[in-house]
């Protein structure tokens, strides 16, 4: 493996996809198609881990991690909102669109919130 890129998260995903498609090829009718797709995933995984073009593979990994973090970040925000639903409330700043988390105020009041990003105040009815 001297001078080769090695194994990373994207190679792992490609290997897992290969296993999933190999399993699908055993049960789902166009068997040859799923088998072919699985083989392509496996070949890509091997190609990436044995590649000598390390800069290119790192760029691919960076792009992959950006997409992965966007997807996981979306679900993490949903999870946090659900976890904090009894103690906190989330508002969006009308000026810079950043989401602000505030301690849940009593209902039927107008509260003034100062945005931590743009430092401009805005009012919200609770
Ligand atoms: Zn703001």
């Amino acid at each position: 493996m001297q001078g080769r890129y090695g194994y990373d998260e994207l190679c792992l995903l490609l290997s897992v996809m290969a296993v999933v498609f190999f399993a699908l090829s055993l049960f789902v009718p166009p068997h040859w198609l799923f088998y072919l797709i699985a083989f392509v995933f496996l070949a890509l995984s091997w190609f990436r881990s044995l590649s000598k073009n390390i800069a290119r593979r790192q760029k691919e990994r960076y792009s992959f991690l950006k997409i992965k973090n966007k997807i996981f970040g979306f679900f993490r925000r949903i999870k946090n909102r659900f976890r904090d639903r009894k103690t906190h409330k989330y508002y969006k700043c009308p000026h810079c669109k950043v989401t602000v988390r505030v301690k849940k105020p009593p209902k039927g009041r107008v509260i003034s919130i100062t945005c931590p990003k743009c430092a401009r105040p805005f009012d919200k009815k609770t």
Side-chain angles (χ1 to χ4, degrees):
M1 290 297 280
Q2 190 98 42
R4 306 288 181 164
Y5 178 66
Y7 211 71
D8 67 1
E9 298 91 345
L10 185 51
C11 290
L12 178 69
L13 176 71
L14 290 169
S15 300
V16 168
M17 292 299 285
V19 169
V20 166
F21 276 89
F22 272 128
L24 278 175
S25 75
L26 296 174
F27 306 108
V28 183
H31 303 291
W32 64 271
L33 181 68
F34 287 104
Y35 192 78
L36 186 73
I37 292 170
F39 188 77
V40 168
F41 277 125
L42 196 61
L44 276 172
S45 176
W46 286 350
F47 167 76
R48 290 195 79 252
S49 59
L50 295 175
S51 171
K52 285 184 174 177
N53 192 350
I54 293 172
R56 180 94 187 242
R57 300 291 88 81
Q58 284 175 336
K59 243 177 148 178
E60 290 168 0
R61 178 177 178 260
Y62 180 72
S63 302
F64 168 71
L65 289 179
K66 256 173 62 178
I67 294 168
K68 183 188 139 202
N69 286 338
K70 261 188 191 165
I71 294 168
F72 278 75
F74 173 75
F75 288 110
R76 193 178 318 112
R77 280 192 295 279
I78 289 175
K79 190 190 99 190
N80 288 346
R81 274 179 187 236
F82 186 75
R83 183 196 63 204
D84 298 343
R85 71 191 182 281
K86 289 182 179 166
T87 57
H88 292 81
K89 201 117 167 96
Y90 288 80
Y91 296 105
K92 195 170 255 184
C93 173
H95 311 292
C96 67
K97 310 293 182 216
V98 76
T99 303
V100 182
R101 187 179 84 135
V102 293
K103 267 208 156 71
K104 203 169 196 172
K107 275 193 172 177
R109 287 175 54 185
V110 177
I111 56 169
S112 182
I113 303 164
T114 304
C115 175
K117 189 179 173 194
C118 66
R120 291 164 74 179
F122 60 95
D123 294 336
K124 280 287 175 184
K125 195 168 185 276
T126 57

